Amino acid sequence: MSRERIVVLDFGGQYNQLIARCIREAGVFCELLPYDSPIEKIQAGNLKGIVLTGGPDSFAAQNARVCPKEIFSLGVPVLGICYGMQAMAQLFGGQVEKASLPEFGHTDIHLVDHALFADLPQDTIVWMNHNDLVTVLPQGFISIASSANCPVAAFADDARHFYGFQFHPEVKHSIYGKQMLQNFVKNICHCACDWQMDHLAQELIQGIQKQVGDGTLVVGFSGGVDSSVATVLAHRALGDRVQCILVDHGLMRKNESQEILDYYEGELGIPIQCVYAKDRFLAKLKGITDPEQKRKVIGTEFIRVFEEEAKKIHGDYLLQGTIYPDVIESGSGQAAVIKSHHNVGGLPKDIGFKGLVEPLRMLFKDEVRALGEELGIPHHLVWRQPFPGPGLAVRILGEITEEKLMMVQESDAILREEVAKAGLDRSIWQYFTVFPDVRTVGVKGDSRSYEYLIGIRAVVSEDAMTVDVAELPYPLLKLISNRIINEVPGIGRVVYDITSKPPGTIEWE
Ligand code: XMP
């Protein structure tokens, strides 16, 4: 029998990726699909269960997204979470109404004896986040959990294997939430839970071999975690039929392209053609100060250079390191565009290839890293901090010049070196220096100086959607500041950015 699969149907809730994560952690491959996906896509393979997520819609308002009816005839258990539960109740003739007392946050809940709650205490705390609630149970359903203001905090129709949670088991504030999802997977869907990273690596390698056949594959290689893991998989699958192109736009960190070449070409033997195009990019960026304009110029130029090189190679397929959040953002995500992210992996699909190969499109970042470790890629490469496609261009405010680039590269190298020495490099999501294009007065060697300012940005986060300021120890900050001012010509002052996201973003542009 093929790999077990649970499908999570996305109604637009904020925590949907976490549901998929919890289920994968339980050892079952799990995919998040838009709620209105074609039924053939939902039921493909060895489908063992379906989860309907929460979402912003309300049955009290018009145009609430409805649950596709056919999923209840597939013979697999269905679990609705929050809005997903309400959608299920509505479909089966129950009633959903606006709650007189909506519940948000930690909520005490009482559980009845049920396979979904096996091995859990009867009284526990869950995370609620709802305005509406199920007031009349559909026929065949019983309530299996209640809170002070929500008599139907969970329901079950054990004969048909349909279930609902009004609360969010996927968030960590629901103390036993993870176990509840695992109980669904094990006790209700009867999954064997034998899905692991090494199986995944084999599956992905075979998938690439099947898709590409005896053809060749071109990679737009950035050295970032996603493109590296995808490339190593492709190399294992196809050997020297993989050809990588690394476009060095000159906006990378200090020594970055050389380090990438040393490891991937030198150690792994993956042939990489490095195109040094710094002059070309800087010429195009001359005089440009608007952040969006910079991104567009870099994105367009990047594609031009890549196209020119790819044409010389005549590859059949194009490999991309697309990961799950990218798919969600461009698919069913509802988020507003804050910045038009230029991703070096985001190459156009119409540049003369037979098709795209995207082995990581079902994985989250930490799963990609786990896979990278499984493939034997060294820690420091697997755990590289995320780096924006336009590189240091979005860390230099105003026009980009060679001199400013040097100041950012050198100061950033010092920061990285000291953070790593302090053993903090794995616990901080991103840490880098920015160049605000401001000069300030100082005193150096008894005379007046008028030199540039450098900002340090260091943040902790789980997914880059929200971040907190990383609390770097003062002695470390002082050491870094001292080194930057002494070692980087042109810098006379260092400041520490203490803005969270929101309202700030991680990058300054
Ligand atoms: P912001 O600055 O929006 O960044 O909080 C969130 C994450 O995305 C990275 N970032 C980019 N990545 N192209 C990219 O590929 C871009 O244009 C871009 N802008 C920001 C940023 O480093 C952070 O990890």
Side-chain angles (χ1 to χ4, degrees), residues 84-258:
M85 171 189 186
Q86 295 162 9
M88 195 191 291
Q90 187 85 2
L91 189 78
F92 284 103
Q95 206 159 333
V96 178
E97 288 174 84
K98 203 158 196 50
S100 50
L101 287 170
E103 291 172 307
F104 299 105
H106 295 97
T107 307
D108 291 319
I109 191 177
H110 181 77
L111 311 173
V112 308
D113 193 14
H114 191 275
L116 277 172
F117 305 134
D119 303 322
L120 305 187
Q122 286 203 312
D123 293 294
T124 179
I125 292 172
V126 291
W127 182 259
M128 290 282 198
N129 191 20
H130 66 112
N131 283 304
D132 299 350
L133 82 182
V134 175
T135 48
V136 177
L137 283 162
Q139 212 169 8
F141 285 75
I142 54 161
S143 172
I144 55 169
S146 56
S147 70
N149 299 317
C150 185
V152 187
F155 67 29
D157 175 339
D158 284 310
R160 290 183 290 179
H161 308 295
F162 300 149
Y163 306 88
F165 292 159
Q166 183 53 70
F167 51 89
H168 287 271
E170 68 278 19
V171 300
K172 59 176 186 285
H173 312 283
S174 291
I175 298 176
Y176 294 104
K178 223 179 211 183
Q179 277 104 312
M180 292 178 193
L181 284 172
Q182 289 181 356
N183 283 341
F184 174 68
V185 166
K186 287 183 186 155
N187 303 345
I188 307 286
C189 301
H190 303 294
C191 292
C193 300
D194 54 3
W195 183 76
Q196 288 163 4
M197 267 307 157
D198 56 341
H199 298 169
L200 180 67
Q202 277 319 310
E203 265 176 40
L204 294 175
I205 290 169
Q206 283 161 10
I208 296 171
Q209 286 166 335
K210 195 165 158 210
Q211 189 183 353
V212 177
D214 54 11
T216 53
L217 185 66
V218 172
V219 183
F221 190 64
S222 71
V225 180
D226 307 335
S227 96
S228 302
V229 172
T231 303
V232 173
L233 281 171
H235 189 248
R236 300 258 165 104
L238 307 173
D240 57 12
R241 283 184 287 135
V242 176
Q243 178 66 54
C244 301
I245 300 172
L246 171 67
V247 178
D248 182 348
H249 46 28
L251 303 161
M252 297 168 101
R253 289 166 287 199
K254 190 178 175 184
N255 299 334
E256 187 155 25
S257 56
Q258 196 51 52

Side-chain angles (χ1 to χ4, degrees), residues 427-430 457-462 464-471 496-502 506:
S427 55
I428 304 179
W429 175 267
Q430 269 176 287
R457 181 79 166 136
V459 295
V460 286
S461 178
E462 284 187 4
M465 299 300 288
T466 58
V467 309
D468 259 332
V469 178
E471 296 187 17
Y496 191 34
D497 177 355
I498 50 167
T499 319
S500 60
K501 171 182 177 177
I506 298 178

Side-chain angles (χ1 to χ4, degrees), residues 281 284-285 288 290-304 340-342 390 394:
F281 278 85
K284 290 275 175 199
L285 286 166
I288 296 179
D290 177 69
E292 284 297 283
Q293 188 65 19
K294 277 184 199 168
R295 280 191 162 81
K296 287 203 183 88
V297 166
I298 295 169
T300 310
E301 199 55 20
F302 187 90
I303 290 162
R304 292 230 167 94
S340 54
H341 280 204
H342 154 64
V394 295

